[in-house]
Amino acid sequence: MTNMINKAIATVIPYCPKKFIWVFSKKYIAGVSVQDAIKVSQSLNEQGVCVTVDLLGEFITNIRQADEHLEEYLQIIASFEKAQIKGNYSLKPTSFGLLIDPEKCYQNIRGIVALASKHKNFVRIDMEDAQRVDQELLLYLRLKRAFPNNVGLVLQAYLKRTQADLEELLKEHTPDSPLNFRLCKGIYNESADIAFKDGEKINRNYLKLLERMLCEGVYVGIATHDQALIKGAYELIDKYNVPKDMYEFQMLYGVTPKLRSSIVADGHKMRVYVPYGEDWFGYSTRRLKENPKMAQHIIKSIFVKG
Ligand SMILES: Cc1cc2nc3c(=O)[nH]c(=O)nc-3n(C[C@H](O)[C@H](O)[C@H](O)COP(=O)(O)OP(=O)(O)OC[C@H]3O[C@@H](n4cnc5c(N)ncnc54)[C@H](O)[C@@H]3O)c2cc1C
């Protein structure tokens, strides 16, 4: 029943006035301009939290838009470095032309990683839907060869293939060119053939993957707001005595800030994902369609203040 209600809300919301959507979106999105993103990031930095900034706008229809996106990212890096923000950069390959011209996409992202590496900084490649996984793995490995310490990838625990992908990737893990992953559950609506649908199975796989990464000395961004996973991660960190500079927790801007503060108070590194940009409306409504469960959070954020 709850599922049906969530789905109904998620279907209707994209047709609501933009102003109405902004009521909940503003909690999760830093604003429309790079200055908005810097302001939010500075405030998070003051709370002892570092950031990863993401310019919204996954869907492009021509390669010119990919070039525009590239220019904007180069500007973001220049502005963030100038403002001395403690943070790095996240991006989605489809925004840089992955579906239109994969070679151009590689060159575009290479340009961004090159600039980040000049500032001794880092770029995280977000993982998109399951059909993009092969391409994004290859893209990551190619970039990692060029910039061994400045690029990382996201792996999704809900995908049945991830365990095997991780084993393959571990072959590329060397002291001079270490792997660096963000581990998340996965946000897209994938079919049961390829993805675990049951929450417990996803969590079990998440902790199995995390354990393997930590044991192999892979740097992991533990990206979750799920208390059970955070507890499981704490246990693994204790069990293997994982040094503090080999992992971090990651959360989305606006989600579970109290839990975030408690992790920071426990002495762990925390990074918040800060999305911003003109495409906030598209981002919010797409997230809703992909994951109707988010409708619950929207309703909550509209009716329950604070
Ligand atoms: C830093 C970061 C980067 C990510 N990058 C990617 C990526 O590249 N590719 C990808 O597929 N997915 C990505 N995700 C999304 C991720 O895959 C999950 O869909 C998302 O984090 C929800 O899963 P969860 O582990 O928080 O657990 P859930 O069980 O979904 O959530 C646990 C609890 O957190 C709270 N919560 C979760 N989401 C919200 C929300 N939106 N609003 C309010 N409360 C909420 C609720 O209290 C919920 O009960 C990312 C997530 C994070 C934190």
Side-chain angles (χ1 to χ4, degrees):
M1 186 65 178
T2 317
N3 258 354
M4 273 171 64
I5 295 170
N6 282 341
K7 271 196 184 136
I9 297 167
T11 312
V12 168
I13 277 181
Y15 302 101
C16 293
K18 244 179 154 177
K19 258 193 193 161
F20 175 75
I21 304 294
W22 183 244
V23 173
F24 72 83
S25 297
K26 68 178 180 206
K27 195 178 154 198
Y28 303 110
I29 288 155
V32 291
S33 69
V34 69
Q35 282 74 28
D36 294 331
I38 288 178
K39 215 163 131 198
V40 162
S41 300
Q42 275 166 337
S43 155
L44 287 162
N45 282 177
E46 281 159 18
Q47 297 163 44
V49 170
C50 56
V51 300
T52 185
V53 66
D54 170 56
L55 175 64
L56 298 171
E58 291 121 283
F59 293 134
I60 62 166
T61 48
N62 62 64
I63 205 70
R64 235 194 28 247
Q65 288 170 292
D67 291 337
E68 285 164 13
H69 226 79
L70 167 64
E71 285 312 312
E72 283 185 83
Y73 257 85
L74 297 177
Q75 283 302 323
I76 293 170
I77 296 179
S79 307
F80 265 64
E81 297 296 334
K82 191 162 171 226
Q84 298 187 318
I85 298 297
K86 288 191 199 95
N88 60 34
Y89 310 96
S90 285
L91 57 80
K92 293 179 181 59
T94 51
S95 300
F96 295 92
L98 188 72
L99 305 179
I100 302 168
D101 182 344
E103 181 57 29
K104 184 83 170 60
C105 172
Y106 168 74
Q107 294 301 339
N108 282 345
I109 298 178
R110 196 182 196 285
I112 292 166
V113 181
L115 183 58
S117 91
K118 241 191 196 168
H119 292 283
K120 298 191 174 21
N121 211 327
F122 180 87
V123 175
R124 174 80 58 195
I125 299 170
D126 285 354
M127 187 56 83
E128 300 179 81
D129 61 278
Q131 289 183 350
R132 308 278 80 82
V133 174
D134 282 330
Q135 278 177 299
E136 295 189 11
L137 288 173
L138 288 175
L139 183 72
Y140 165 62
L141 289 176
R142 201 171 160 198
L143 288 163
K144 180 172 167 289
R145 262 166 232 137
F147 303 96
N149 291 294
N150 308 93
V151 64
L153 185 68
V154 177
L155 293 182
Q156 297 155 322
Y158 67 3
L159 287 186
K160 294 177 182 172
R161 61 174 286 173
T162 301
Q163 191 76 49
D165 287 339
L166 176 60
E167 292 310 320
E168 273 306 301
L169 286 159
L170 282 170
K171 295 176 187 163
E172 307 282 332
H173 185 50
T174 65
D176 291 337
S177 179
L179 293 169
N180 185 319
F181 294 131
R182 171 194 299 152
L183 182 61
C184 67
K185 288 188 184 179
I187 193 120
Y188 300 90
N189 211 349
E190 305 293 0
S191 86
D193 297 346
I194 57 164
F196 300 112
K197 300 302 256 186
D198 174 74
E200 273 184 30
K201 281 192 184 148
I202 297 171
N203 280 17
R204 230 177 319 180
N205 200 39
Y206 191 107
L207 292 175
K208 202 167 143 193
L209 293 163
L210 180 60
E211 183 164 20
R212 186 87 179 104
M213 290 178 192
L214 294 175
C215 286
E216 289 298 318
V218 172
Y219 189 94
V220 197
I222 306 165
T224 185
H225 319 90
D226 185 335
Q227 302 226 28
L229 287 183
I230 291 163
K231 183 170 170 282
Y234 273 25
E235 285 166 5
L236 289 172
I237 290 161
D238 272 355
K239 182 173 170 189
Y240 296 106
N241 213 359
V242 184
K244 287 213 182 302
D245 60 355
M246 285 311 292
Y247 70 91
E248 63 188 39
F249 285 88
Q250 298 187 352
M251 289 189 174
L252 300 174
Y253 176 59
V255 178
T256 60
K258 271 196 192 152
L259 182 57
R260 182 177 84 206
S261 302
S262 76
I263 295 172
V264 176
D266 288 339
H268 302 285
K269 182 170 180 178
M270 171 63 72
R271 186 180 305 276
V272 165
Y273 188 100
V274 176
Y276 87 94
E278 303 275 356
D279 193 37
W280 65 266
F281 183 74
Y283 173 85
S284 307
T285 52
R286 274 200 297 278
R287 287 287 92 81
L288 272 168
K289 280 188 185 160
E290 280 154 8
N291 189 355
K293 260 206 301 191
M294 264 188 73
Q296 273 175 354
H297 304 311
I298 292 156
I299 299 301
K300 212 169 136 193
S301 69
I302 291 169
F303 293 106
V304 184
K305 300 269 177 235

